Amino acid sequence: MKILKYWPILVALVVLRAQNQQSGGKSNPAIGRITPEIVRALATGMPELMEAAARGDKFSQFVLGMRYDAGNGVPKDPAQAVGWYRKAAAQGVADAQYLLGSKYDEGEGVLKDAAQAVEWYRKSADQGHAMAQFSLGFMYAAGNGVPKDAAQAVGWYRKAAEQGVVGAQFVLGTRYEAGEGIPKDAAQAVGWYRKAAEQGDADAQNNLGLAYMKGNGVRKDLVLAYMWANLAAAQSRQGSGKLRDDLERIMTQGQIAEAQKLSREWKSK
């Protein structure tokens, strides 16, 4: 199969699956998994793909929706994308359900409708789709399309975080730190920040640095505080450079050198 011919779509799938750019944002979609059926649909020529979608093949419908979404092989058309996502979603394709929810959430290709967004996010989330779970957590946190419920938000964040969604790991850490929707627990906050920080999330790295500096939920360690602040600052995370500079003023040259060494070693992993 000539998969490379459809590299832009494959890239889109990988990007959609890949979890995160910015920890707190939910504009960052992730596909559940790239199945053999989706790969086959990706390798299908446009006439055959359209024919299969028209016949009711759910994976072809999903891929055709993505093509219209990206303008790949067809003119970009969000409304057409929504139409094909809807057909695939009605047949239970979790990725299509998630993306249809996101279209209702953003009002792209369809009138914005938070209740519809929640409905489709939930269908996808109930199938274990990590980013749908994350998105549903945001809807509960904001009271958008559902009654505001901090505990429900935490529950959905946790499901996504346990599947490795870095943004969900960071947000769950903030909820433990603030005691929002869950009893306050600094050690749990540190644990979730660490998971996200190890995946390269700058906000989590910054917060982990603060925790080590203050000894909040973890034993105070200025070297590790500097290391995490330095890593966050290297990603231009606002405020992390100042945190690192503040730490420098209370550290010895030996400690700073050790922290910088740890930063280099972490980056080289």
Side-chain angles (χ1 to χ4, degrees):
M1 292 185 293
K2 297 178 181 178
I3 301 298
L4 288 179
K5 182 178 178 181
Y6 301 103
W7 182 247
I9 287 283
L10 280 169
V11 169
L13 280 166
V14 171
V15 169
L16 286 170
R17 189 183 182 197
Q19 302 180 60
N20 43 55
Q21 297 160 284
Q22 297 175 338
S23 306
K26 72 177 197 47
S27 60
N28 192 19
I31 289 298
R33 59 188 179 275
I34 302 174
T35 65
E37 293 87 355
I38 290 173
V39 171
R40 281 196 290 273
L42 284 165
T44 302
M46 277 303 300
E48 295 86 356
L49 181 66
M50 290 181 133
E51 183 183 341
R55 282 200 315 268
D57 181 78
K58 59 188 179 182
F59 298 107
S60 297
Q61 291 169 341
F62 170 60
V63 170
L64 188 53
M66 290 201 70
R67 284 188 170 281
Y68 276 112
D69 216 351
N72 183 276
V74 290
K76 186 177 175 70
D77 189 331
Q80 280 279 2
V82 165
W84 288 110
Y85 287 151
R86 189 185 306 282
K87 289 177 186 293
Q91 296 198 68
V93 178
D95 294 330
Q97 292 168 341
Y98 165 67
L99 289 174
L100 182 57
S102 73
K103 295 300 184 188
Y104 274 114
D105 199 357
E106 301 297 330
E108 184 181 358
V110 69
L111 289 176
K112 194 167 187 173
D113 188 326
Q116 280 289 307
V118 166
E119 180 179 337
W120 289 108
Y121 282 152
R122 191 182 304 281
K123 287 178 186 294
S124 183
D126 285 343
Q127 292 197 64
H129 194 288
M131 280 305 297
Q133 293 167 344
F134 189 27
S135 297
L136 197 51
F138 273 100
M139 302 303 269
Y140 273 108
N144 191 17
V146 285
K148 190 170 183 175
D149 189 326
Q152 279 277 357
V154 165
W156 288 110
Y157 290 148
R158 186 184 304 282
K159 288 177 185 293
E162 288 173 347
Q163 293 200 66
V165 176
V166 66
Q169 292 170 343
F170 170 73
V171 174
L172 185 56
T174 67
R175 296 307 185 262
Y176 270 114
E177 186 172 9
E180 185 177 345
I182 198 165
K184 198 168 185 175
D185 189 324
Q188 281 286 333
V190 165
W192 287 108
Y193 287 150
R194 189 184 308 282
K195 288 180 185 293
E198 290 288 359
Q199 291 197 65
D201 185 84
D203 289 328
Q205 290 171 343
N206 181 80
N207 286 17
L208 192 52
L210 278 168
Y212 273 113
M213 183 178 78
K214 297 175 180 178
N216 189 20
V218 69
R219 185 172 60 83
K220 187 172 181 177
D221 189 320
L222 297 182
V223 170
L224 289 176
Y226 185 105
M227 183 196 86
W228 288 114
N230 194 37
L231 290 168
Q235 297 190 63
S236 302
R237 197 272 183 190
Q238 188 174 7
S240 297
K242 182 180 184 304
L243 173 59
R244 179 191 58 201
D245 294 344
D246 288 344
L247 283 161
E248 278 193 4
R249 284 191 281 271
I250 57 174
M251 294 170 68
T252 67
Q253 286 303 310
Q255 287 175 318
I256 293 168
E258 176 63 17
Q260 290 173 342
K261 176 174 172 286
L262 290 174
S263 296
R264 290 192 299 272
E265 289 174 351
W266 189 92
K267 287 179 185 177
S268 68
K269 286 194 298 185

